[in-house]
Amino acid sequence: MSNWIIAGLGNPGSQYEHTRHNVGYWWLDQLASELGQSFKTESRFNGQLIQFTTPEHKIWLVKPLTFMNRSGQSVSALANFYKVPPENILVIHDELDLPAGVARLKRGGGHGGHNGLRDIISQLGSKEFLRCRIGIDHPGNSKQVADYVLSKPSAVDRENIMASIDNSRRVLPDVLAGNLEKAMNWLHSQ
């Protein structure tokens, strides 16, 4: 049985709940709802957690409560405690370089200016974790990015984002089974 961490990135607090930067939380909330489970705050991991088991895997869902730029504290504490290697960590995050409604999977790579990824790479000492990038579109001007990610998407964009979350959740069994290429082929054709 392999151990996995699925981390959805976002910022805690009701003022951030519906903002673009919180799509990682949205993703995990959808999965938790499907599982019929609720997140519980675990202070030693600086996050809200759900743990569940499938016949092949023990899986921890985590929503770091450290704010985006300290996400790595939560993810690394959980990974170190349960001996989960970076290769078995899936991080779900917002992606400015993809249109709303598009989701992409990849392993490794840089942080692309994303402070949550930057901190996870720093805290884990590895870039080799999986990423599920949920497109939120770009405001068009780099000076507007901070305000943009912390604002609510339009109704149409939110609908598109939720569709991409559904699509990316659909390939989770393949991702966990090590069939990343199969998962990518399907997801990237949506």
mmCIF file of all heavy atoms in Angstrom, residues 5 7 44-46 62 64 66 70-86 89 91 119-126:
data_model
loop_
_atom_site.group_PDB
_atom_site.id
_atom_site.type_symbol
_atom_site.label_atom_id
_atom_site.label_comp_id
_atom_site.label_asym_id
_atom_site.label_seq_id
_atom_site.Cartn_x
_atom_site.Cartn_y
_atom_site.Cartn_z
ATOM 1 N N ILE A 5 -0.272 12.144 -0.652
ATOM 2 C CA ILE A 5 -0.806 13.412 -0.166
ATOM 3 C C ILE A 5 -1.380 14.157 -1.359
ATOM 4 O O ILE A 5 -0.727 14.272 -2.407
ATOM 5 C CB ILE A 5 0.283 14.289 0.494
ATOM 6 C CG1 ILE A 5 0.779 13.638 1.787
ATOM 7 C CG2 ILE A 5 -0.238 15.712 0.759
ATOM 8 C CD1 ILE A 5 2.000 14.323 2.384
ATOM 9 N N ALA A 7 -2.655 17.860 -1.910
ATOM 10 C CA ALA A 7 -2.716 19.175 -1.269
ATOM 11 C C ALA A 7 -3.413 20.156 -2.202
ATOM 12 O O ALA A 7 -3.014 20.313 -3.357
ATOM 13 C CB ALA A 7 -1.301 19.674 -0.957
ATOM 14 N N ARG A 44 -0.883 20.312 14.248
ATOM 15 C CA ARG A 44 0.519 19.897 14.062
ATOM 16 C C ARG A 44 0.926 19.892 12.587
ATOM 17 O O ARG A 44 2.103 19.905 12.271
ATOM 18 C CB ARG A 44 0.780 18.536 14.703
ATOM 19 C CG ARG A 44 0.068 17.379 14.037
ATOM 20 C CD ARG A 44 0.399 16.075 14.720
ATOM 21 N NE ARG A 44 -0.559 15.068 14.316
ATOM 22 C CZ ARG A 44 -0.357 13.774 14.411
ATOM 23 N NH1 ARG A 44 0.758 13.320 14.918
ATOM 24 N NH2 ARG A 44 -1.280 12.927 14.023
ATOM 25 N N PHE A 45 -0.070 19.854 11.690
ATOM 26 C CA PHE A 45 0.231 19.912 10.255
ATOM 27 C C PHE A 45 -0.187 21.248 9.633
ATOM 28 O O PHE A 45 -0.165 21.399 8.416
ATOM 29 C CB PHE A 45 -0.447 18.756 9.508
ATOM 30 C CG PHE A 45 0.012 17.401 9.971
ATOM 31 C CD1 PHE A 45 -0.905 16.472 10.434
ATOM 32 C CD2 PHE A 45 1.360 17.060 9.970
ATOM 33 C CE1 PHE A 45 -0.490 15.218 10.876
ATOM 34 C CE2 PHE A 45 1.781 15.810 10.413
ATOM 35 C CZ PHE A 45 0.853 14.891 10.861
ATOM 36 N N ASN A 46 -0.575 22.203 10.466
ATOM 37 C CA ASN A 46 -0.979 23.532 9.970
ATOM 38 C C ASN A 46 -1.987 23.432 8.835
ATOM 39 O O ASN A 46 -1.874 24.136 7.835
ATOM 40 C CB ASN A 46 0.235 24.328 9.469
ATOM 41 C CG ASN A 46 1.221 24.629 10.563
ATOM 42 O OD1 ASN A 46 0.835 25.130 11.604
ATOM 43 N ND2 ASN A 46 2.478 24.300 10.346
ATOM 44 N N VAL A 62 -5.119 17.533 2.154
ATOM 45 C CA VAL A 62 -4.737 18.619 3.054
ATOM 46 C C VAL A 62 -4.982 19.978 2.413
ATOM 47 O O VAL A 62 -4.650 20.199 1.247
ATOM 48 C CB VAL A 62 -3.265 18.497 3.536
ATOM 49 C CG1 VAL A 62 -2.285 18.546 2.369
ATOM 50 C CG2 VAL A 62 -2.928 19.575 4.565
ATOM 51 N N PRO A 64 -3.699 23.469 3.382
ATOM 52 C CA PRO A 64 -2.840 24.221 4.307
ATOM 53 C C PRO A 64 -3.568 25.461 4.823
ATOM 54 O O PRO A 64 -4.260 26.140 4.065
ATOM 55 C CB PRO A 64 -1.636 24.622 3.436
ATOM 56 C CG PRO A 64 -1.613 23.602 2.331
ATOM 57 C CD PRO A 64 -3.066 23.285 2.073
ATOM 58 N N THR A 66 -1.881 27.950 6.301
ATOM 59 C CA THR A 66 -0.740 28.830 6.566
ATOM 60 C C THR A 66 -0.719 30.064 5.672
ATOM 61 O O THR A 66 0.216 30.837 5.749
ATOM 62 C CB THR A 66 0.556 28.053 6.302
ATOM 63 O OG1 THR A 66 0.439 27.420 5.015
ATOM 64 C CG2 THR A 66 0.811 27.007 7.353
ATOM 65 N N ARG A 70 3.146 30.141 2.502
ATOM 66 C CA ARG A 70 3.743 29.231 3.475
ATOM 67 C C ARG A 70 3.165 27.819 3.351
ATOM 68 O O ARG A 70 3.270 27.017 4.279
ATOM 69 C CB ARG A 70 3.500 29.750 4.907
ATOM 70 C CG ARG A 70 4.197 31.062 5.203
ATOM 71 C CD ARG A 70 5.654 30.839 5.576
ATOM 72 N NE ARG A 70 6.360 32.089 5.731
ATOM 73 C CZ ARG A 70 7.261 32.542 4.867
ATOM 74 N NH1 ARG A 70 7.556 31.861 3.784
ATOM 75 N NH2 ARG A 70 7.894 33.682 5.089
ATOM 76 N N SER A 71 2.598 27.513 2.199
ATOM 77 C CA SER A 71 1.960 26.200 1.977
ATOM 78 C C SER A 71 2.905 25.035 2.243
ATOM 79 O O SER A 71 2.486 23.967 2.683
ATOM 80 C CB SER A 71 1.435 26.099 0.538
ATOM 81 O OG SER A 71 0.477 27.085 0.276
ATOM 82 N N GLY A 72 4.180 25.231 1.968
ATOM 83 C CA GLY A 72 5.160 24.156 2.120
ATOM 84 C C GLY A 72 5.313 23.679 3.552
ATOM 85 O O GLY A 72 5.655 22.523 3.791
ATOM 86 N N GLN A 73 5.061 24.554 4.521
ATOM 87 C CA GLN A 73 5.169 24.145 5.932
ATOM 88 C C GLN A 73 4.206 23.009 6.225
ATOM 89 O O GLN A 73 4.561 22.019 6.864
ATOM 90 C CB GLN A 73 4.860 25.325 6.860
ATOM 91 C CG GLN A 73 5.910 26.399 6.856
ATOM 92 C CD GLN A 73 5.532 27.582 7.742
ATOM 93 O OE1 GLN A 73 4.431 27.641 8.294
ATOM 94 N NE2 GLN A 73 6.438 28.520 7.876
ATOM 95 N N SER A 74 2.988 23.149 5.754
ATOM 96 C CA SER A 74 1.959 22.150 5.992
ATOM 97 C C SER A 74 2.252 20.864 5.219
ATOM 98 O O SER A 74 2.240 19.765 5.778
ATOM 99 C CB SER A 74 0.604 22.731 5.581
ATOM 100 O OG SER A 74 -0.416 21.787 5.759
ATOM 101 N N VAL A 75 2.538 21.013 3.922
ATOM 102 C CA VAL A 75 2.776 19.840 3.062
ATOM 103 C C VAL A 75 3.999 19.061 3.530
ATOM 104 O O VAL A 75 3.967 17.829 3.635
ATOM 105 C CB VAL A 75 2.907 20.272 1.581
ATOM 106 C CG1 VAL A 75 3.280 19.085 0.698
ATOM 107 C CG2 VAL A 75 1.611 20.913 1.087
ATOM 108 N N SER A 76 5.093 19.763 3.850
ATOM 109 C CA SER A 76 6.314 19.064 4.262
ATOM 110 C C SER A 76 6.155 18.408 5.631
ATOM 111 O O SER A 76 6.668 17.306 5.860
ATOM 112 C CB SER A 76 7.529 19.993 4.238
ATOM 113 O OG SER A 76 7.404 21.001 5.210
ATOM 114 N N ALA A 77 5.432 19.050 6.559
ATOM 115 C CA ALA A 77 5.211 18.436 7.879
ATOM 116 C C ALA A 77 4.459 17.110 7.732
ATOM 117 O O ALA A 77 4.823 16.102 8.349
ATOM 118 C CB ALA A 77 4.433 19.397 8.778
ATOM 119 N N LEU A 78 3.445 17.105 6.887
ATOM 120 C CA LEU A 78 2.659 15.896 6.641
ATOM 121 C C LEU A 78 3.500 14.832 5.941
ATOM 122 O O LEU A 78 3.501 13.656 6.332
ATOM 123 C CB LEU A 78 1.440 16.273 5.790
ATOM 124 C CG LEU A 78 0.297 15.283 5.675
ATOM 125 C CD1 LEU A 78 -0.284 14.922 7.034
ATOM 126 C CD2 LEU A 78 -0.798 15.861 4.773
ATOM 127 N N ALA A 79 4.245 15.246 4.913
ATOM 128 C CA ALA A 79 5.087 14.314 4.145
ATOM 129 C C ALA A 79 6.164 13.698 5.031
ATOM 130 O O ALA A 79 6.415 12.485 4.965
ATOM 131 C CB ALA A 79 5.724 15.033 2.956
ATOM 132 N N ASN A 80 6.793 14.507 5.871
ATOM 133 C CA ASN A 80 7.848 13.989 6.749
ATOM 134 C C ASN A 80 7.281 13.025 7.791
ATOM 135 O O ASN A 80 7.857 11.976 8.051
ATOM 136 C CB ASN A 80 8.581 15.142 7.449
ATOM 137 C CG ASN A 80 9.404 15.960 6.481
ATOM 138 O OD1 ASN A 80 9.811 15.484 5.428
ATOM 139 N ND2 ASN A 80 9.632 17.218 6.826
ATOM 140 N N PHE A 81 6.134 13.373 8.357
ATOM 141 C CA PHE A 81 5.549 12.549 9.412
ATOM 142 C C PHE A 81 5.115 11.184 8.870
ATOM 143 O O PHE A 81 5.349 10.157 9.509
ATOM 144 C CB PHE A 81 4.359 13.260 10.059
ATOM 145 C CG PHE A 81 3.843 12.573 11.279
ATOM 146 C CD1 PHE A 81 4.439 12.782 12.518
ATOM 147 C CD2 PHE A 81 2.760 11.710 11.216
ATOM 148 C CE1 PHE A 81 3.968 12.141 13.668
ATOM 149 C CE2 PHE A 81 2.281 11.064 12.349
ATOM 150 C CZ PHE A 81 2.888 11.275 13.576
ATOM 151 N N TYR A 82 4.494 11.169 7.712
ATOM 152 C CA TYR A 82 3.976 9.909 7.159
ATOM 153 C C TYR A 82 4.889 9.288 6.107
ATOM 154 O O TYR A 82 4.511 8.331 5.442
ATOM 155 C CB TYR A 82 2.565 10.120 6.587
ATOM 156 C CG TYR A 82 1.534 10.346 7.671
ATOM 157 C CD1 TYR A 82 0.937 11.594 7.840
ATOM 158 C CD2 TYR A 82 1.174 9.319 8.536
ATOM 159 C CE1 TYR A 82 -0.008 11.807 8.844
ATOM 160 C CE2 TYR A 82 0.232 9.527 9.545
ATOM 161 C CZ TYR A 82 -0.349 10.766 9.691
ATOM 162 O OH TYR A 82 -1.272 10.972 10.687
ATOM 163 N N LYS A 83 6.089 9.843 5.950
ATOM 164 C CA LYS A 83 7.101 9.288 5.025
ATOM 165 C C LYS A 83 6.553 9.178 3.596
ATOM 166 O O LYS A 83 6.662 8.132 2.951
ATOM 167 C CB LYS A 83 7.587 7.910 5.495
ATOM 168 C CG LYS A 83 8.018 7.846 6.954
ATOM 169 C CD LYS A 83 9.405 8.406 7.145
ATOM 170 C CE LYS A 83 9.927 8.248 8.560
ATOM 171 N NZ LYS A 83 9.648 9.391 9.435
ATOM 172 N N VAL A 84 5.960 10.274 3.126
ATOM 173 C CA VAL A 84 5.431 10.303 1.757
ATOM 174 C C VAL A 84 6.475 10.970 0.867
ATOM 175 O O VAL A 84 6.825 12.134 1.089
ATOM 176 C CB VAL A 84 4.093 11.075 1.695
ATOM 177 C CG1 VAL A 84 3.564 11.109 0.272
ATOM 178 C CG2 VAL A 84 3.067 10.452 2.637
ATOM 179 N N PRO A 85 6.985 10.250 -0.144
ATOM 180 C CA PRO A 85 7.996 10.848 -1.025
ATOM 181 C C PRO A 85 7.374 11.905 -1.934
ATOM 182 O O PRO A 85 6.162 11.845 -2.221
ATOM 183 C CB PRO A 85 8.499 9.653 -1.845
ATOM 184 C CG PRO A 85 7.350 8.692 -1.866
ATOM 185 C CD PRO A 85 6.644 8.876 -0.546
ATOM 186 N N PRO A 86 8.171 12.876 -2.400
ATOM 187 C CA PRO A 86 7.641 13.923 -3.282
ATOM 188 C C PRO A 86 6.884 13.363 -4.493
ATOM 189 O O PRO A 86 5.892 13.949 -4.926
ATOM 190 C CB PRO A 86 8.886 14.701 -3.719
ATOM 191 C CG PRO A 86 9.858 14.494 -2.600
ATOM 192 C CD PRO A 86 9.588 13.103 -2.088
ATOM 193 N N ILE A 89 3.114 13.071 -4.036
ATOM 194 C CA ILE A 89 2.404 14.275 -3.600
ATOM 195 C C ILE A 89 1.816 14.940 -4.838
ATOM 196 O O ILE A 89 2.520 15.177 -5.822
ATOM 197 C CB ILE A 89 3.343 15.255 -2.864
ATOM 198 C CG1 ILE A 89 3.900 14.594 -1.594
ATOM 199 C CG2 ILE A 89 2.609 16.556 -2.530
ATOM 200 C CD1 ILE A 89 4.964 15.421 -0.886
ATOM 201 N N VAL A 91 -0.185 18.326 -5.930
ATOM 202 C CA VAL A 91 -0.543 19.672 -5.484
ATOM 203 C C VAL A 91 -1.502 20.283 -6.507
ATOM 204 O O VAL A 91 -1.184 20.336 -7.703
ATOM 205 C CB VAL A 91 0.715 20.559 -5.335
ATOM 206 C CG1 VAL A 91 0.327 21.993 -4.979
ATOM 207 C CG2 VAL A 91 1.654 19.976 -4.279
ATOM 208 N N ASP A 119 7.167 27.796 -2.071
ATOM 209 C CA ASP A 119 7.399 27.372 -0.695
ATOM 210 C C ASP A 119 7.413 25.845 -0.565
ATOM 211 O O ASP A 119 8.210 25.305 0.200
ATOM 212 C CB ASP A 119 6.350 27.980 0.244
ATOM 213 C CG ASP A 119 6.778 27.880 1.708
ATOM 214 O OD1 ASP A 119 7.891 28.356 2.032
ATOM 215 O OD2 ASP A 119 6.025 27.298 2.514
ATOM 216 N N ILE A 120 6.570 25.169 -1.322
ATOM 217 C CA ILE A 120 6.562 23.697 -1.273
ATOM 218 C C ILE A 120 7.895 23.150 -1.779
ATOM 219 O O ILE A 120 8.486 22.265 -1.156
ATOM 220 C CB ILE A 120 5.367 23.121 -2.068
ATOM 221 C CG1 ILE A 120 4.057 23.463 -1.337
ATOM 222 C CG2 ILE A 120 5.503 21.608 -2.240
ATOM 223 C CD1 ILE A 120 2.799 23.165 -2.130
ATOM 224 N N ILE A 121 8.391 23.687 -2.894
ATOM 225 C CA ILE A 121 9.695 23.252 -3.433
ATOM 226 C C ILE A 121 10.783 23.492 -2.383
ATOM 227 O O ILE A 121 11.619 22.622 -2.112
ATOM 228 C CB ILE A 121 10.015 23.996 -4.747
ATOM 229 C CG1 ILE A 121 9.078 23.523 -5.865
ATOM 230 C CG2 ILE A 121 11.483 23.793 -5.143
ATOM 231 C CD1 ILE A 121 9.101 24.395 -7.123
ATOM 232 N N SER A 122 10.758 24.653 -1.765
ATOM 233 C CA SER A 122 11.759 25.010 -0.758
ATOM 234 C C SER A 122 11.684 24.083 0.460
ATOM 235 O O SER A 122 12.705 23.566 0.919
ATOM 236 C CB SER A 122 11.539 26.467 -0.337
ATOM 237 O OG SER A 122 12.270 26.772 0.815
ATOM 238 N N GLN A 123 10.483 23.843 0.963
ATOM 239 C CA GLN A 123 10.314 23.034 2.181
ATOM 240 C C GLN A 123 10.566 21.540 1.937
ATOM 241 O O GLN A 123 11.098 20.861 2.808
ATOM 242 C CB GLN A 123 8.899 23.221 2.755
ATOM 243 C CG GLN A 123 8.599 24.632 3.224
ATOM 244 C CD GLN A 123 9.248 24.977 4.555
ATOM 245 O OE1 GLN A 123 9.498 24.119 5.381
ATOM 246 N NE2 GLN A 123 9.528 26.253 4.743
ATOM 247 N N LEU A 124 10.163 21.047 0.755
ATOM 248 C CA LEU A 124 10.375 19.623 0.448
ATOM 249 C C LEU A 124 11.807 19.361 -0.011
ATOM 250 O O LEU A 124 12.292 18.237 0.049
ATOM 251 C CB LEU A 124 9.421 19.148 -0.655
ATOM 252 C CG LEU A 124 7.959 18.934 -0.316
ATOM 253 C CD1 LEU A 124 7.191 18.532 -1.570
ATOM 254 C CD2 LEU A 124 7.776 17.895 0.782
ATOM 255 N N GLY A 125 12.457 20.412 -0.540
ATOM 256 C CA GLY A 125 13.784 20.225 -1.123
ATOM 257 C C GLY A 125 13.721 19.425 -2.408
ATOM 258 O O GLY A 125 14.673 18.757 -2.800
ATOM 259 N N SER A 126 12.572 19.468 -3.081
ATOM 260 C CA SER A 126 12.379 18.710 -4.316
ATOM 261 C C SER A 126 11.329 19.395 -5.181
ATOM 262 O O SER A 126 10.402 20.015 -4.667
ATOM 263 C CB SER A 126 11.905 17.286 -3.992
ATOM 264 O OG SER A 126 11.553 16.591 -5.171
#
